[in-house]
Amino acid sequence: MLNAILSALRWSVSLGAKFYRVVPYYTTGIVLLTLIAQLSALLSSFLPLKVIILLGSDGMPRYFPSSFQSVDRDLLVVLLSVATVGFFLFNLLANKLIDLATAAASEKLLSKSQKLSLFENQDQVAANGYQKYSSALAGLVFVFLSLSGISFFYSSMSLVLLAYPVSAFLLVLVLSRYVSAFNDYLEANLSAFVGLISNVGFFVAFAFLIVEFVIWTPPSFIVVIVSLLLSRQVFSRVTGFVNSIYGLSKQRQKLDALFFHGKQLIPSSVSSKQNNIWSYLSPEVRDGWLPPLLSDVKNSPLSANCISVKWLESGQQNIPHLLVSVDGDERKFLIKLYEKNRTALARHEASLLLDPPSGLPAPILLHVTEIEKLSCHVCELSPGRMLTKKASRQGALEVGYSLALILPSASLKNRYLRSRPLVGDRLTPGLLQRVKVAVNDEHHLFTVDEFIESLPDLKKLLDKLPLVIVNPAIRNGVWKDRNSDAHLAINWEKWTLEPLGAGVPPGQVNKLLNYIESEGVDVHKNLDPDWVKLAALALELERLINKQKLSLAFGKVKNMLRLLNEK
């Protein structure tokens, strides 16, 4: 941890040096303005306390400065109130000037770096990074000036304010070195932890003040009040500094690429972070976690020597698949690892596969766990093989047709409907308005408007259809059973519930209906084929609009309107 802290500090120093070389006047000005803003904010919060004390006193309190004793009490209340408003306005003005100076400085920094456009919102990232750094630097200057002032008037308090953070830092280093759970907690909750330490520090300062009043001889009351207020500000600025540097370090690659000539933007997937998902897939690392994982599944100890691993094409970003075989077991184990930004997809798949409907063409989900905070699914596959993308076309079609025969349980439907809208709810007037962008003819515009007015009727018809499971990622992976020639879809992270027909290409609806009829499913009898076609067209229409294929979407609008008018 100490090495990581030193690395972050060294990088922040080099970043600051870059700022001072390129925009020295802006940086100095922003630091000064930030100090002025912070001082103005402190005074605007301190002076009302003085006003309240005056209003609650019959005369002038004896612990007020001697220069106040000659001023009329009511006049002093008015002057302090006006000064409070003045400092508040001064704080607003300073912050506005900081925003203007930050925008100008970041623009100059970007122009000096002479880089191509690297990513979206890079100007905003540069401005935020520069402002965070300037604010953190100003916070350090404020802490130094505050401690200098406190040490001059109240030296014992300054020693407490220095000793506490040093002690807390050393304690954190020791705990992070010897307690791995604490290290993990600190990595995930650094900002909250630093805030907690800061709040405790303020109460330590307050407790010391009370002890000094009771046992020792404190300085004047005004010095005590100011020191207490400054101690709160000191801990607040230290917290802001740590959080700012931590936040900047998380964007280190982007900021380096923006501000330094010799730095390029390296995609995060090939970064040097040790907790990247790909580091767990290297043979020497996975031999450490795969055997214990499969031992839990099989309830028997396994070694790396009896496990063979094969890479499996998943077609899904940041969700690598491993096909694992164990000596003496003809079953295949599908291991899925999920990057941290794919955790929600892992949970969504598990919500279906942990209690799947009968006959679902999916692997058996045996185990849901975590590998170093990465979600992991262990599935069982019968003996067979993964189909190539070309060969999986027919298998994917069969899986899609078979889903039309599977009725989800009442509990699954209720949980889904409480969480997500169906396609009839997602087709809103606002979404359909986009189609007008691609049409110029008045008659076509009228057609779109007429369809928008028919959306309530469309929803009523779709609500009459049974809900079925839809898997838009079937073709990303189809497994063929060697014994039964049955096909399974291995990716279920994006499953949905939709009215019967949704997810089927509109041109294949008749084939779907013939398939359902041949299977003799009672629940699907006496359904109007046009309703099923409307469901297929509805999901296709939404897909085309989201992909901004508006001309094709207008064709679907016409087809759907024709079917609706026939009802």
Side-chain angles (χ1 to χ4, degrees), residues 343-387:
T343 301
L345 292 177
R347 291 175 180 170
H348 189 59
E349 180 183 75
S351 67
L352 177 68
L353 298 189
L354 285 176
D355 186 19
S358 177
L360 186 72
I364 301 172
L365 183 56
L366 299 176
H367 193 41
V368 175
T369 185
E370 287 188 350
I371 305 296
E372 297 293 334
K373 297 185 179 180
L374 299 174
S375 295
C376 177
H377 289 178
V378 182
C379 302
E380 177 187 330
L381 290 169
S382 56
R385 62 187 177 89
M386 180 68 73
L387 297 181

mmCIF file of all heavy atoms in Angstrom, residues 343-387:
data_model
loop_
_atom_site.group_PDB
_atom_site.id
_atom_site.type_symbol
_atom_site.label_atom_id
_atom_site.label_comp_id
_atom_site.label_asym_id
_atom_site.label_seq_id
_atom_site.Cartn_x
_atom_site.Cartn_y
_atom_site.Cartn_z
ATOM 1 N N THR A 343 -21.343 -7.275 -13.479
ATOM 2 C CA THR A 343 -21.942 -7.975 -12.348
ATOM 3 C C THR A 343 -23.460 -8.040 -12.462
ATOM 4 O O THR A 343 -24.079 -9.065 -12.134
ATOM 5 C CB THR A 343 -21.546 -7.278 -11.036
ATOM 6 O OG1 THR A 343 -20.118 -7.270 -10.923
ATOM 7 C CG2 THR A 343 -22.135 -8.010 -9.835
ATOM 8 N N ALA A 344 -24.081 -6.958 -12.920
ATOM 9 C CA ALA A 344 -25.544 -6.944 -13.062
ATOM 10 C C ALA A 344 -26.006 -8.000 -14.062
ATOM 11 O O ALA A 344 -27.047 -8.644 -13.865
ATOM 12 C CB ALA A 344 -26.020 -5.560 -13.492
ATOM 13 N N LEU A 345 -25.235 -8.213 -15.137
ATOM 14 C CA LEU A 345 -25.593 -9.245 -16.113
ATOM 15 C C LEU A 345 -25.488 -10.637 -15.488
ATOM 16 O O LEU A 345 -26.314 -11.514 -15.758
ATOM 17 C CB LEU A 345 -24.681 -9.147 -17.336
ATOM 18 C CG LEU A 345 -24.847 -7.906 -18.213
ATOM 19 C CD1 LEU A 345 -23.827 -7.918 -19.352
ATOM 20 C CD2 LEU A 345 -26.259 -7.825 -18.784
ATOM 21 N N ALA A 346 -24.463 -10.825 -14.654
ATOM 22 C CA ALA A 346 -24.315 -12.121 -13.985
ATOM 23 C C ALA A 346 -25.518 -12.400 -13.079
ATOM 24 O O ALA A 346 -26.057 -13.512 -13.058
ATOM 25 C CB ALA A 346 -23.020 -12.141 -13.170
ATOM 26 N N ARG A 347 -25.942 -11.406 -12.347
ATOM 27 C CA ARG A 347 -27.091 -11.589 -11.458
ATOM 28 C C ARG A 347 -28.361 -11.844 -12.253
ATOM 29 O O ARG A 347 -29.212 -12.647 -11.840
ATOM 30 C CB ARG A 347 -27.256 -10.342 -10.589
ATOM 31 C CG ARG A 347 -26.149 -10.151 -9.566
ATOM 32 C CD ARG A 347 -26.311 -8.833 -8.828
ATOM 33 N NE ARG A 347 -25.261 -8.645 -7.839
ATOM 34 C CZ ARG A 347 -25.044 -7.516 -7.189
ATOM 35 N NH1 ARG A 347 -25.823 -6.459 -7.438
ATOM 36 N NH2 ARG A 347 -24.075 -7.408 -6.308
ATOM 37 N N HIS A 348 -28.483 -11.181 -13.395
ATOM 38 C CA HIS A 348 -29.688 -11.366 -14.202
ATOM 39 C C HIS A 348 -29.754 -12.789 -14.751
ATOM 40 O O HIS A 348 -30.817 -13.419 -14.749
ATOM 41 C CB HIS A 348 -29.710 -10.345 -15.336
ATOM 42 C CG HIS A 348 -31.000 -10.305 -16.095
ATOM 43 N ND1 HIS A 348 -32.203 -10.020 -15.494
ATOM 44 C CD2 HIS A 348 -31.282 -10.532 -17.406
ATOM 45 C CE1 HIS A 348 -33.169 -10.057 -16.394
ATOM 46 N NE2 HIS A 348 -32.630 -10.377 -17.560
ATOM 47 N N GLU A 349 -28.621 -13.311 -15.213
ATOM 48 C CA GLU A 349 -28.602 -14.690 -15.696
ATOM 49 C C GLU A 349 -28.933 -15.662 -14.565
ATOM 50 O O GLU A 349 -29.720 -16.601 -14.736
ATOM 51 C CB GLU A 349 -27.241 -15.030 -16.287
ATOM 52 C CG GLU A 349 -27.173 -16.468 -16.798
ATOM 53 C CD GLU A 349 -25.814 -16.845 -17.333
ATOM 54 O OE1 GLU A 349 -24.902 -17.059 -16.519
ATOM 55 O OE2 GLU A 349 -25.661 -16.919 -18.557
ATOM 56 N N ALA A 350 -28.342 -15.428 -13.394
ATOM 57 C CA ALA A 350 -28.578 -16.322 -12.265
ATOM 58 C C ALA A 350 -30.036 -16.309 -11.822
ATOM 59 O O ALA A 350 -30.567 -17.334 -11.376
ATOM 60 C CB ALA A 350 -27.670 -15.935 -11.093
ATOM 61 N N SER A 351 -30.699 -15.155 -11.958
ATOM 62 C CA SER A 351 -32.105 -15.069 -11.561
ATOM 63 C C SER A 351 -32.985 -16.013 -12.372
ATOM 64 O O SER A 351 -34.035 -16.442 -11.910
ATOM 65 C CB SER A 351 -32.617 -13.634 -11.717
ATOM 66 O OG SER A 351 -32.668 -13.250 -13.082
ATOM 67 N N LEU A 352 -32.561 -16.374 -13.575
ATOM 68 C CA LEU A 352 -33.317 -17.310 -14.412
ATOM 69 C C LEU A 352 -32.815 -18.743 -14.241
ATOM 70 O O LEU A 352 -33.600 -19.680 -14.064
ATOM 71 C CB LEU A 352 -33.216 -16.898 -15.878
ATOM 72 C CG LEU A 352 -33.893 -17.828 -16.890
ATOM 73 C CD1 LEU A 352 -35.410 -17.787 -16.718
ATOM 74 C CD2 LEU A 352 -33.504 -17.457 -18.323
ATOM 75 N N LEU A 353 -31.488 -18.930 -14.280
ATOM 76 C CA LEU A 353 -30.940 -20.283 -14.350
ATOM 77 C C LEU A 353 -30.887 -20.995 -12.996
ATOM 78 O O LEU A 353 -30.758 -22.221 -12.954
ATOM 79 C CB LEU A 353 -29.535 -20.249 -14.963
ATOM 80 C CG LEU A 353 -29.439 -19.728 -16.398
ATOM 81 C CD1 LEU A 353 -28.036 -19.969 -16.953
ATOM 82 C CD2 LEU A 353 -30.476 -20.393 -17.298
ATOM 83 N N LEU A 354 -30.970 -20.257 -11.896
ATOM 84 C CA LEU A 354 -30.990 -20.938 -10.596
ATOM 85 C C LEU A 354 -32.307 -21.668 -10.355
ATOM 86 O O LEU A 354 -32.360 -22.633 -9.603
ATOM 87 C CB LEU A 354 -30.722 -19.931 -9.472
ATOM 88 C CG LEU A 354 -29.272 -19.465 -9.322
ATOM 89 C CD1 LEU A 354 -29.158 -18.398 -8.247
ATOM 90 C CD2 LEU A 354 -28.345 -20.644 -9.001
ATOM 91 N N ASP A 355 -33.365 -21.173 -10.969
ATOM 92 C CA ASP A 355 -34.669 -21.846 -10.874
ATOM 93 C C ASP A 355 -35.330 -21.794 -12.254
ATOM 94 O O ASP A 355 -36.312 -21.092 -12.460
ATOM 95 C CB ASP A 355 -35.545 -21.157 -9.825
ATOM 96 C CG ASP A 355 -36.857 -21.907 -9.589
ATOM 97 O OD1 ASP A 355 -36.928 -23.097 -9.945
ATOM 98 O OD2 ASP A 355 -37.809 -21.284 -9.070
ATOM 99 N N PRO A 356 -34.793 -22.536 -13.219
ATOM 100 C CA PRO A 356 -35.242 -22.400 -14.598
ATOM 101 C C PRO A 356 -36.594 -23.059 -14.834
ATOM 102 O O PRO A 356 -36.942 -24.050 -14.175
ATOM 103 C CB PRO A 356 -34.144 -23.126 -15.388
ATOM 104 C CG PRO A 356 -33.633 -24.161 -14.445
ATOM 105 C CD PRO A 356 -33.715 -23.535 -13.079
ATOM 106 N N PRO A 357 -37.372 -22.540 -15.774
ATOM 107 C CA PRO A 357 -38.612 -23.225 -16.178
ATOM 108 C C PRO A 357 -38.286 -24.580 -16.799
ATOM 109 O O PRO A 357 -37.202 -24.769 -17.366
ATOM 110 C CB PRO A 357 -39.222 -22.261 -17.205
ATOM 111 C CG PRO A 357 -38.549 -20.951 -16.994
ATOM 112 C CD PRO A 357 -37.187 -21.262 -16.486
ATOM 113 N N SER A 358 -39.195 -25.478 -16.679
ATOM 114 C CA SER A 358 -38.981 -26.824 -17.209
ATOM 115 C C SER A 358 -38.759 -26.776 -18.714
ATOM 116 O O SER A 358 -39.507 -26.135 -19.448
ATOM 117 C CB SER A 358 -40.195 -27.710 -16.897
ATOM 118 O OG SER A 358 -40.041 -28.987 -17.450
ATOM 119 N N GLY A 359 -37.702 -27.458 -19.165
ATOM 120 C CA GLY A 359 -37.422 -27.547 -20.589
ATOM 121 C C GLY A 359 -36.605 -26.398 -21.140
ATOM 122 O O GLY A 359 -36.380 -26.332 -22.355
ATOM 123 N N LEU A 360 -36.134 -25.486 -20.305
ATOM 124 C CA LEU A 360 -35.355 -24.352 -20.806
ATOM 125 C C LEU A 360 -34.074 -24.857 -21.464
ATOM 126 O O LEU A 360 -33.301 -25.595 -20.842
ATOM 127 C CB LEU A 360 -35.014 -23.400 -19.656
ATOM 128 C CG LEU A 360 -34.328 -22.096 -20.066
ATOM 129 C CD1 LEU A 360 -35.326 -21.174 -20.772
ATOM 130 C CD2 LEU A 360 -33.742 -21.387 -18.844
ATOM 131 N N PRO A 361 -33.806 -24.484 -22.714
ATOM 132 C CA PRO A 361 -32.608 -24.960 -23.420
ATOM 133 C C PRO A 361 -31.367 -24.205 -22.959
ATOM 134 O O PRO A 361 -30.796 -23.386 -23.687
ATOM 135 C CB PRO A 361 -32.931 -24.690 -24.890
ATOM 136 C CG PRO A 361 -33.860 -23.515 -24.860
ATOM 137 C CD PRO A 361 -34.661 -23.652 -23.600
ATOM 138 N N ALA A 362 -30.947 -24.482 -21.736
ATOM 139 C CA ALA A 362 -29.823 -23.768 -21.135
ATOM 140 C C ALA A 362 -28.973 -24.744 -20.342
ATOM 141 O O ALA A 362 -29.447 -25.808 -19.919
ATOM 142 C CB ALA A 362 -30.339 -22.655 -20.212
ATOM 143 N N PRO A 363 -27.704 -24.425 -20.103
ATOM 144 C CA PRO A 363 -26.880 -25.270 -19.241
ATOM 145 C C PRO A 363 -27.440 -25.296 -17.821
ATOM 146 O O PRO A 363 -28.218 -24.422 -17.421
ATOM 147 C CB PRO A 363 -25.503 -24.588 -19.281
ATOM 148 C CG PRO A 363 -25.556 -23.618 -20.415
ATOM 149 C CD PRO A 363 -26.979 -23.246 -20.597
ATOM 150 N N ILE A 364 -27.029 -26.292 -17.057
ATOM 151 C CA ILE A 364 -27.434 -26.377 -15.649
ATOM 152 C C ILE A 364 -26.480 -25.505 -14.837
ATOM 153 O O ILE A 364 -25.263 -25.743 -14.828
ATOM 154 C CB ILE A 364 -27.392 -27.827 -15.152
ATOM 155 C CG1 ILE A 364 -28.321 -28.708 -15.987
ATOM 156 C CG2 ILE A 364 -27.759 -27.910 -13.678
ATOM 157 C CD1 ILE A 364 -28.187 -30.183 -15.685
ATOM 158 N N LEU A 365 -27.011 -24.495 -14.180
ATOM 159 C CA LEU A 365 -26.180 -23.622 -13.347
ATOM 160 C C LEU A 365 -25.955 -24.311 -11.996
ATOM 161 O O LEU A 365 -26.864 -24.428 -11.178
ATOM 162 C CB LEU A 365 -26.847 -22.262 -13.162
ATOM 163 C CG LEU A 365 -26.067 -21.208 -12.365
ATOM 164 C CD1 LEU A 365 -24.690 -20.961 -12.979
ATOM 165 C CD2 LEU A 365 -26.854 -19.901 -12.295
ATOM 166 N N LEU A 366 -24.722 -24.773 -11.775
ATOM 167 C CA LEU A 366 -24.398 -25.539 -10.568
ATOM 168 C C LEU A 366 -23.975 -24.657 -9.406
ATOM 169 O O LEU A 366 -24.268 -24.971 -8.247
ATOM 170 C CB LEU A 366 -23.255 -26.520 -10.873
ATOM 171 C CG LEU A 366 -23.515 -27.585 -11.939
ATOM 172 C CD1 LEU A 366 -22.244 -28.384 -12.173
ATOM 173 C CD2 LEU A 366 -24.654 -28.498 -11.527
ATOM 174 N N HIS A 367 -23.277 -23.574 -9.706
ATOM 175 C CA HIS A 367 -22.634 -22.833 -8.619
ATOM 176 C C HIS A 367 -22.507 -21.367 -9.016
ATOM 177 O O HIS A 367 -22.122 -21.054 -10.142
ATOM 178 C CB HIS A 367 -21.249 -23.435 -8.360
ATOM 179 C CG HIS A 367 -20.596 -22.987 -7.098
ATOM 180 N ND1 HIS A 367 -21.272 -22.838 -5.908
ATOM 181 C CD2 HIS A 367 -19.291 -22.643 -6.825
ATOM 182 C CE1 HIS A 367 -20.428 -22.433 -4.965
ATOM 183 N NE2 HIS A 367 -19.226 -22.303 -5.507
ATOM 184 N N VAL A 368 -22.846 -20.484 -8.089
ATOM 185 C CA VAL A 368 -22.673 -19.032 -8.262
ATOM 186 C C VAL A 368 -21.769 -18.560 -7.143
ATOM 187 O O VAL A 368 -22.074 -18.741 -5.957
ATOM 188 C CB VAL A 368 -24.020 -18.290 -8.212
ATOM 189 C CG1 VAL A 368 -23.798 -16.783 -8.275
ATOM 190 C CG2 VAL A 368 -24.918 -18.734 -9.365
ATOM 191 N N THR A 369 -20.640 -17.963 -7.488
ATOM 192 C CA THR A 369 -19.682 -17.548 -6.477
ATOM 193 C C THR A 369 -18.928 -16.320 -6.965
ATOM 194 O O THR A 369 -19.310 -15.692 -7.958
ATOM 195 C CB THR A 369 -18.708 -18.707 -6.162
ATOM 196 O OG1 THR A 369 -17.857 -18.321 -5.088
ATOM 197 C CG2 THR A 369 -17.875 -19.069 -7.382
ATOM 198 N N GLU A 370 -17.842 -15.982 -6.268
ATOM 199 C CA GLU A 370 -16.977 -14.875 -6.659
ATOM 200 C C GLU A 370 -15.529 -15.332 -6.614
ATOM 201 O O GLU A 370 -15.135 -16.093 -5.731
ATOM 202 C CB GLU A 370 -17.149 -13.662 -5.730
ATOM 203 C CG GLU A 370 -18.451 -12.902 -5.933
ATOM 204 C CD GLU A 370 -18.501 -11.619 -5.136
ATOM 205 O OE1 GLU A 370 -17.590 -11.414 -4.280
ATOM 206 O OE2 GLU A 370 -19.419 -10.807 -5.340
ATOM 207 N N ILE A 371 -14.752 -14.866 -7.599
ATOM 208 C CA ILE A 371 -13.310 -15.084 -7.617
ATOM 209 C C ILE A 371 -12.661 -13.711 -7.477
ATOM 210 O O ILE A 371 -12.650 -12.917 -8.424
ATOM 211 C CB ILE A 371 -12.845 -15.766 -8.928
ATOM 212 C CG1 ILE A 371 -13.606 -17.069 -9.159
ATOM 213 C CG2 ILE A 371 -11.346 -15.974 -8.905
ATOM 214 C CD1 ILE A 371 -13.348 -18.125 -8.122
ATOM 215 N N GLU A 372 -12.161 -13.413 -6.284
ATOM 216 C CA GLU A 372 -11.557 -12.102 -6.030
ATOM 217 C C GLU A 372 -12.497 -10.965 -6.459
ATOM 218 O O GLU A 372 -12.128 -10.075 -7.225
ATOM 219 C CB GLU A 372 -10.216 -11.985 -6.763
ATOM 220 C CG GLU A 372 -9.169 -12.970 -6.312
ATOM 221 C CD GLU A 372 -8.696 -12.718 -4.891
ATOM 222 O OE1 GLU A 372 -8.790 -11.569 -4.435
ATOM 223 O OE2 GLU A 372 -8.244 -13.680 -4.248
ATOM 224 N N LYS A 373 -13.755 -11.042 -5.983
ATOM 225 C CA LYS A 373 -14.779 -10.034 -6.229
ATOM 226 C C LYS A 373 -15.283 -10.012 -7.666
ATOM 227 O O LYS A 373 -16.038 -9.116 -8.048
ATOM 228 C CB LYS A 373 -14.289 -8.628 -5.850
ATOM 229 C CG LYS A 373 -13.984 -8.478 -4.376
ATOM 230 C CD LYS A 373 -13.612 -7.042 -4.036
ATOM 231 C CE LYS A 373 -13.337 -6.910 -2.549
ATOM 232 N NZ LYS A 373 -12.973 -5.528 -2.167
ATOM 233 N N LEU A 374 -14.879 -10.980 -8.489
ATOM 234 C CA LEU A 374 -15.404 -11.126 -9.840
ATOM 235 C C LEU A 374 -16.469 -12.211 -9.812
ATOM 236 O O LEU A 374 -16.215 -13.331 -9.362
ATOM 237 C CB LEU A 374 -14.296 -11.507 -10.827
ATOM 238 C CG LEU A 374 -13.148 -10.514 -10.982
ATOM 239 C CD1 LEU A 374 -12.073 -11.095 -11.883
ATOM 240 C CD2 LEU A 374 -13.641 -9.189 -11.556
ATOM 241 N N SER A 375 -17.663 -11.895 -10.292
ATOM 242 C CA SER A 375 -18.734 -12.883 -10.316
ATOM 243 C C SER A 375 -18.330 -14.065 -11.187
ATOM 244 O O SER A 375 -17.700 -13.894 -12.237
ATOM 245 C CB SER A 375 -20.022 -12.254 -10.850
ATOM 246 O OG SER A 375 -20.490 -11.245 -9.985
ATOM 247 N N CYS A 376 -18.711 -15.250 -10.736
ATOM 248 C CA CYS A 376 -18.330 -16.474 -11.450
ATOM 249 C C CYS A 376 -19.500 -17.439 -11.436
ATOM 250 O O CYS A 376 -20.126 -17.656 -10.391
ATOM 251 C CB CYS A 376 -17.109 -17.107 -10.791
ATOM 252 S SG CYS A 376 -16.594 -18.664 -11.534
ATOM 253 N N HIS A 377 -19.802 -18.000 -12.613
ATOM 254 C CA HIS A 377 -20.832 -19.023 -12.747
ATOM 255 C C HIS A 377 -20.180 -20.325 -13.215
ATOM 256 O O HIS A 377 -19.337 -20.315 -14.119
ATOM 257 C CB HIS A 377 -21.894 -18.603 -13.767
ATOM 258 C CG HIS A 377 -22.776 -17.487 -13.291
ATOM 259 N ND1 HIS A 377 -23.776 -16.942 -14.070
ATOM 260 C CD2 HIS A 377 -22.825 -16.822 -12.115
ATOM 261 C CE1 HIS A 377 -24.386 -15.990 -13.388
ATOM 262 N NE2 HIS A 377 -23.822 -15.904 -12.210
ATOM 263 N N VAL A 378 -20.590 -21.404 -12.600
ATOM 264 C CA VAL A 378 -20.149 -22.736 -13.021
ATOM 265 C C VAL A 378 -21.367 -23.487 -13.536
ATOM 266 O O VAL A 378 -22.313 -23.730 -12.786
ATOM 267 C CB VAL A 378 -19.498 -23.514 -11.864
ATOM 268 C CG1 VAL A 378 -19.020 -24.876 -12.357
ATOM 269 C CG2 VAL A 378 -18.341 -22.719 -11.276
ATOM 270 N N CYS A 379 -21.352 -23.832 -14.819
ATOM 271 C CA CYS A 379 -22.481 -24.524 -15.447
ATOM 272 C C CYS A 379 -22.035 -25.909 -15.907
ATOM 273 O O CYS A 379 -20.866 -26.143 -16.206
ATOM 274 C CB CYS A 379 -23.004 -23.735 -16.654
ATOM 275 S SG CYS A 379 -23.536 -22.051 -16.272
ATOM 276 N N GLU A 380 -23.002 -26.801 -15.975
ATOM 277 C CA GLU A 380 -22.743 -28.154 -16.458
ATOM 278 C C GLU A 380 -23.293 -28.308 -17.865
ATOM 279 O O GLU A 380 -24.435 -27.930 -18.144
ATOM 280 C CB GLU A 380 -23.394 -29.181 -15.529
ATOM 281 C CG GLU A 380 -23.225 -30.627 -16.013
ATOM 282 C CD GLU A 380 -24.025 -31.598 -15.180
ATOM 283 O OE1 GLU A 380 -24.230 -31.324 -13.973
ATOM 284 O OE2 GLU A 380 -24.458 -32.632 -15.737
ATOM 285 N N LEU A 381 -22.471 -28.858 -18.752
ATOM 286 C CA LEU A 381 -22.875 -29.133 -20.129
ATOM 287 C C LEU A 381 -22.763 -30.639 -20.378
ATOM 288 O O LEU A 381 -21.789 -31.280 -19.948
ATOM 289 C CB LEU A 381 -21.984 -28.383 -21.122
ATOM 290 C CG LEU A 381 -22.137 -26.859 -21.169
ATOM 291 C CD1 LEU A 381 -21.009 -26.245 -21.984
ATOM 292 C CD2 LEU A 381 -23.485 -26.462 -21.760
ATOM 293 N N SER A 382 -23.741 -31.172 -21.081
ATOM 294 C CA SER A 382 -23.668 -32.587 -21.464
ATOM 295 C C SER A 382 -22.603 -32.756 -22.547
ATOM 296 O O SER A 382 -22.190 -31.781 -23.184
ATOM 297 C CB SER A 382 -25.030 -33.049 -21.976
ATOM 298 O OG SER A 382 -25.449 -32.201 -23.047
ATOM 299 N N PRO A 383 -22.122 -33.977 -22.772
ATOM 300 C CA PRO A 383 -21.106 -34.186 -23.807
ATOM 301 C C PRO A 383 -21.588 -33.641 -25.153
ATOM 302 O O PRO A 383 -22.716 -33.898 -25.572
ATOM 303 C CB PRO A 383 -20.933 -35.706 -23.836
ATOM 304 C CG PRO A 383 -21.357 -36.149 -22.479
ATOM 305 C CD PRO A 383 -22.449 -35.214 -22.063
ATOM 306 N N GLY A 384 -20.745 -32.900 -25.821
ATOM 307 C CA GLY A 384 -21.123 -32.306 -27.099
ATOM 308 C C GLY A 384 -20.060 -31.349 -27.578
ATOM 309 O O GLY A 384 -18.886 -31.459 -27.202
ATOM 310 N N ARG A 385 -20.476 -30.361 -28.356
ATOM 311 C CA ARG A 385 -19.510 -29.412 -28.918
ATOM 312 C C ARG A 385 -20.182 -28.063 -29.153
ATOM 313 O O ARG A 385 -21.406 -27.977 -29.273
ATOM 314 C CB ARG A 385 -18.949 -29.941 -30.245
ATOM 315 C CG ARG A 385 -19.997 -30.127 -31.321
ATOM 316 C CD ARG A 385 -19.414 -30.800 -32.556
ATOM 317 N NE ARG A 385 -20.445 -31.039 -33.570
ATOM 318 C CZ ARG A 385 -20.781 -30.165 -34.519
ATOM 319 N NH1 ARG A 385 -20.157 -28.996 -34.597
ATOM 320 N NH2 ARG A 385 -21.720 -30.453 -35.408
ATOM 321 N N MET A 386 -19.337 -27.036 -29.186
ATOM 322 C CA MET A 386 -19.817 -25.699 -29.485
ATOM 323 C C MET A 386 -19.862 -25.536 -31.007
ATOM 324 O O MET A 386 -18.903 -25.862 -31.713
ATOM 325 C CB MET A 386 -18.878 -24.651 -28.879
ATOM 326 C CG MET A 386 -19.307 -23.216 -29.146
ATOM 327 S SD MET A 386 -20.814 -22.782 -28.304
ATOM 328 C CE MET A 386 -20.211 -22.661 -26.633
ATOM 329 N N LEU A 387 -20.992 -25.057 -31.512
ATOM 330 C CA LEU A 387 -21.141 -24.873 -32.952
ATOM 331 C C LEU A 387 -20.449 -23.603 -33.410
ATOM 332 O O LEU A 387 -20.377 -22.611 -32.678
ATOM 333 C CB LEU A 387 -22.622 -24.805 -33.318
ATOM 334 C CG LEU A 387 -23.470 -26.048 -33.040
ATOM 335 C CD1 LEU A 387 -24.907 -25.810 -33.487
ATOM 336 C CD2 LEU A 387 -22.892 -27.264 -33.747
#
